[in-house]
Amino acid sequence: MSTTEAKAKTFVAAEIAKHNTRNDIWIVINNDVYDVTGFLEEHPGGEEVILEYAGKDATEAFEDIGHSEDARDLLKGLMIGRLEGDAPKDAQQTGAGADADHVHLRQKQNSSSWGLLVPLALAVAVVAYKMYA
Ligand code: HEM
């Protein structure tokens, strides 16, 4: 592991965001920074999907696909450093949808746990009523 640590330079989001063209493209996955310029053409999933994340955080997209161990091994060779500070939030440029979806998801999760409490309280009330009535 010392080999990867040796090249663990750190980059801030603003710096990463500058590398957003086909000829100079960096992406962030799990807070590691990757120079995928040379890899673009070789990507089995095509160039376009990676280009969408040029200079941005591609963690979710990368994980959602369920990339193989081989893919993860490939990543190791492309790493140029670590992200310092906040993740590049520029994903919003491609559409405000991404973050909004997360907020909705969180709200849904919250409301479903509250939703369970109501029938539970009702059941307790019914049992209590039957016991004492
Ligand atoms: C540097 C980052 C990436 C590497 C090293 C990488 C590597 C690979 C590899 C090796 C495969 C072949 C299947 C496998 O082994 O899992 C693959 C497939 C695929 N990748 Fe990536 N990938 C990267 C980033 C991304 C990103 C950001 C996306 C965005 C959605 C993406 C989407 C896909 C898709 C859709 C396939 C499936 C292609 C198919 O089976 O037809 N990849 N990738």
Side-chain angles (χ1 to χ4, degrees):
M1 279 286 122
S2 56
T3 44
T4 36
E5 276 163 26
K7 42 178 177 175
K9 244 187 116 179
T10 54
F11 301 100
V12 294
E15 200 176 346
I16 297 161
K18 288 183 202 157
H19 302 267
N20 62 355
T21 66
R22 179 182 291 268
N23 297 321
D24 175 19
I25 167 170
W26 292 5
I27 59 171
V28 175
I29 297 176
N30 290 321
N31 290 330
D32 289 329
V33 183
Y34 299 96
D35 183 342
V36 292
T37 314
F39 175 72
L40 264 192
E41 288 184 351
E42 291 165 33
H43 182 226
E47 295 184 12
E48 292 308 315
V49 282
I50 297 188
L51 275 168
E52 253 184 70
Y53 296 94
K56 301 174 192 167
D57 192 321
T59 308
E60 253 188 74
F62 183 84
E63 300 295 353
D64 280 356
I65 301 302
H67 280 95
S68 66
E69 276 307 311
D70 281 357
R72 286 166 201 279
D73 279 351
L74 270 168
L75 268 184
K76 287 181 199 159
L78 303 171
M79 185 179 165
I80 53 168
R82 300 270 305 160
L83 169 71
E84 190 182 88
D86 289 340
K89 287 285 175 201
D90 311 20
Q92 285 162 356
Q93 280 175 5
T94 39
D99 270 8
D101 281 354
H102 291 153
V103 173
H104 285 150
L105 250 175
R106 242 176 261 138
Q107 280 170 351
K108 263 187 216 148
Q109 279 162 0
N110 281 347
S111 63
S112 67
S113 52
W114 275 110
L116 260 182
L117 269 183
V118 177
L120 210 82
L122 268 175
V124 171
V126 169
V127 171
Y129 176 78
K130 288 210 168 139
M131 278 172 78
Y132 294 104

